[in-house]
Amino acid sequence: MDLAYLAELPREEFITRRKKVFAQMQDNSAFIIFTETEKRRNNDCNYHFRPDSYFWYLTGFAEPESALLLIKRNGEYESTIFLRKKDREKEIWTGRRLGVEAAPEILKVDAAFEIEHLDKTFAEKIQNLTACYYAQGYQAWGDKVVSAQFKEVIDWRPMLSEMRLIKSTAEIALIQQACHISALAHIRAMKQVRPNRYEMEIEGEIQHEFNRFGARFPSYNSIVASGENACVLHYDENSAVMKEGDLLLIDAGAEFAYYAGDITRTFPVNGKFSKPQKAIYELVLKAQKEAIKLLVPNNSIKIVNDRVMEIFTEGLVELGILKGDVKTLIEQKACCQFYMHGLGHWLGLDVHDVGDYSNERSRPLEIGMVITVEPGLYISSDADVPEQYKGIGIRIEDNLLMTEYGNKNLTSGCPKEIADIGEIMATA
Ligand code: GLY
Ligand code: MN
Ligand code: MN
């Protein structure tokens, strides 16, 4: 178990969240949530375990094979954790376990049982309850336990996702730290990039910078994509040699105390933008800066993305990459052949955090939400465009907190102006 993470959020925060769940539960109902199980990678090797984000959100408990049961009976609340039993032999091999005895005090729950007793204890505790909140099909190993016990199963995902969407002050501090570490890693990457190094060497530099500041893992597989690899949106092979004259797109974010940062920067392998690279870069940067101005409470990602698509269309016509009448091309969404993804997403415990977006991301933004802003243009080498633009892929991504004053750019420490990046690379 990773005890270090227990220190990151005050325990009261988890209690408050559970109270909010209790308050929303109908009377005489149960609520059960499971975490992940260990996943085998290959013989005798597992993937590093990472708790389910919903489960972590309510428990702050990072061991696999655990479940939380909340019961509301005649207006009274009871919380029970199920976890692996203490096992000296297993602990010698694979690490310490919290155990049933210590769990109630540490996790601030009413009772703890060994996970082996889940079936029996669950059956006892739910007697005479009328409904169960459960995410059927989401956590397969839990389905066996819950299925057939209740006529009424209510999916808890909408409830918990809404709660997770608005971040508390303590959460914002952790996300800010994840963003800060992510920015430092990008700056280090800028200093280390040069022709003939492997993309994965830069991935390693980024990883080491994360680790220096207490972020053990990235919040998603780091994308270090040189040249046309940048046009593969989730390229994470990171196995190519970076070539003189190519751009490098890095999309990498630290996971700090399970909260994600998510930054993308794109810059030349040799430190100097060619004229066509500069033209596309300036267009993406212009769109991104305009989007940052507009992504404020009460606006929506959709409204702002519509403006981004106008800017892209005008710019691409000016460069001769799109041909035709600007207004018609905007109506046809012609720029989307080079801009295939959305403008941004929620950010939190998951890099693609949970929460309803409404149709086409038209949900009005609210204070306390954290989003990404990541316009990009990707022109593959077989696109029907002037030769000099082929194979260019550029994205610029920052993370924004919605505030009463508009927004706060949590990743502003990561340079994106051509001159600033050039200076960092030149002085490396
Ligand atoms: N890194 C994944 C994304 O930007 O959405
Ligand atoms: Mn990203
Ligand atoms: Mn993103």
Side-chain angles (χ1 to χ4, degrees), residues 37-49 221:
T37 52
E38 298 262 24
K39 302 281 184 306
R40 184 175 172 274
R41 181 177 183 272
N42 58 321
N43 194 30
D44 286 346
C45 303
N46 287 338
Y47 288 101
H48 191 96
F49 178 76
N221 294 334

Side-chain angles (χ1 to χ4, degrees), residues 161-379:
S161 302
E162 266 321 282
M163 287 170 61
R164 283 174 54 185
L165 191 49
I166 307 295
K167 273 68 181 177
S168 70
T169 307
E171 286 183 291
I172 289 164
L174 297 179
I175 297 173
Q176 174 68 84
Q177 184 65 359
C179 289
H180 181 56
I181 297 168
S182 307
L184 292 174
H186 278 263
I187 292 169
R188 173 152 157 187
M190 287 169 193
K191 293 179 179 170
Q192 291 294 334
V193 168
R194 56 193 62 110
N196 302 321
R197 292 193 79 181
Y198 283 102
E199 294 164 342
M200 69 177 81
E201 293 180 67
I202 303 308
E203 181 182 16
E205 299 282 350
I206 290 166
Q207 178 66 42
H208 186 235
E209 200 69 2
F210 290 170
N211 293 162
R212 267 166 35 90
F213 295 98
R216 176 79 197 279
F217 294 107
S219 52
Y220 50 92
N221 294 334
S222 298
I223 296 168
V224 184
S226 62
E228 213 194 335
N229 293 336
C231 297
V232 178
L233 296 179
H234 285 167
Y235 173 86
D236 59 10
E237 287 168 43
N238 302 349
S239 56
V241 173
M242 299 180 288
K243 293 201 292 289
E244 174 77 34
D246 276 351
L247 288 175
L248 180 68
L249 181 154
I250 299 178
D251 184 345
E255 182 175 86
F256 183 77
Y258 298 125
Y259 285 87
D262 184 7
I263 300 181
T264 307
R265 290 293 183 265
T266 312
F267 52 88
V269 166
N270 65 8
K272 288 177 87 115
F273 282 88
S274 70
K275 216 171 145 217
Q277 288 168 348
K278 185 162 179 262
I280 307 288
Y281 189 87
E282 283 178 338
L283 179 54
V284 176
L285 187 59
K286 179 180 172 189
Q288 206 244 10
K289 284 181 177 171
E290 178 72 9
I292 290 175
K293 267 192 221 150
L294 296 174
L295 285 166
V296 295
N298 297 321
N299 257 347
S300 67
I301 296 175
K302 180 184 181 328
I303 290 175
V304 181
N305 196 38
D306 287 347
R307 178 72 194 116
V308 163
M309 291 201 290
E310 282 173 16
I311 294 170
F312 275 167
T313 310
E314 286 159 11
L316 291 169
V317 167
E318 255 172 53
L319 295 172
I321 294 171
L322 283 177
K323 290 188 183 68
D325 169 55
V326 170
K327 198 161 162 280
T328 315
L329 291 167
I330 289 171
E331 278 163 19
Q332 293 169 339
K333 298 188 190 258
C335 71
C336 292
Q337 60 188 293
F338 308 113
Y339 173 43
M340 310 83 168
H341 56 74
L343 178 63
H345 51 83
W346 313 132
L347 186 70
L349 283 171
D350 293 310
V351 61
H352 290 175
D353 211 29
V354 292
D356 180 35
Y357 284 101
S358 302
N359 194 25
E360 291 184 65
R361 310 212 165 181
S362 60
R363 178 173 181 159
L365 296 168
E366 294 170 47
I367 294 169
M369 288 176 170
V370 180
I371 59 170
T372 67
V373 48
E374 50 181 302
L377 289 170
Y378 315 90
I379 308 171

Side-chain angles (χ1 to χ4, degrees), residues 57 89 109-110 154 247 259 279 334 377:
Y57 184 78
E89 172 79 4
V109 292
D110 299 311
I154 305 166
L247 288 175
Y259 285 87
L377 289 170

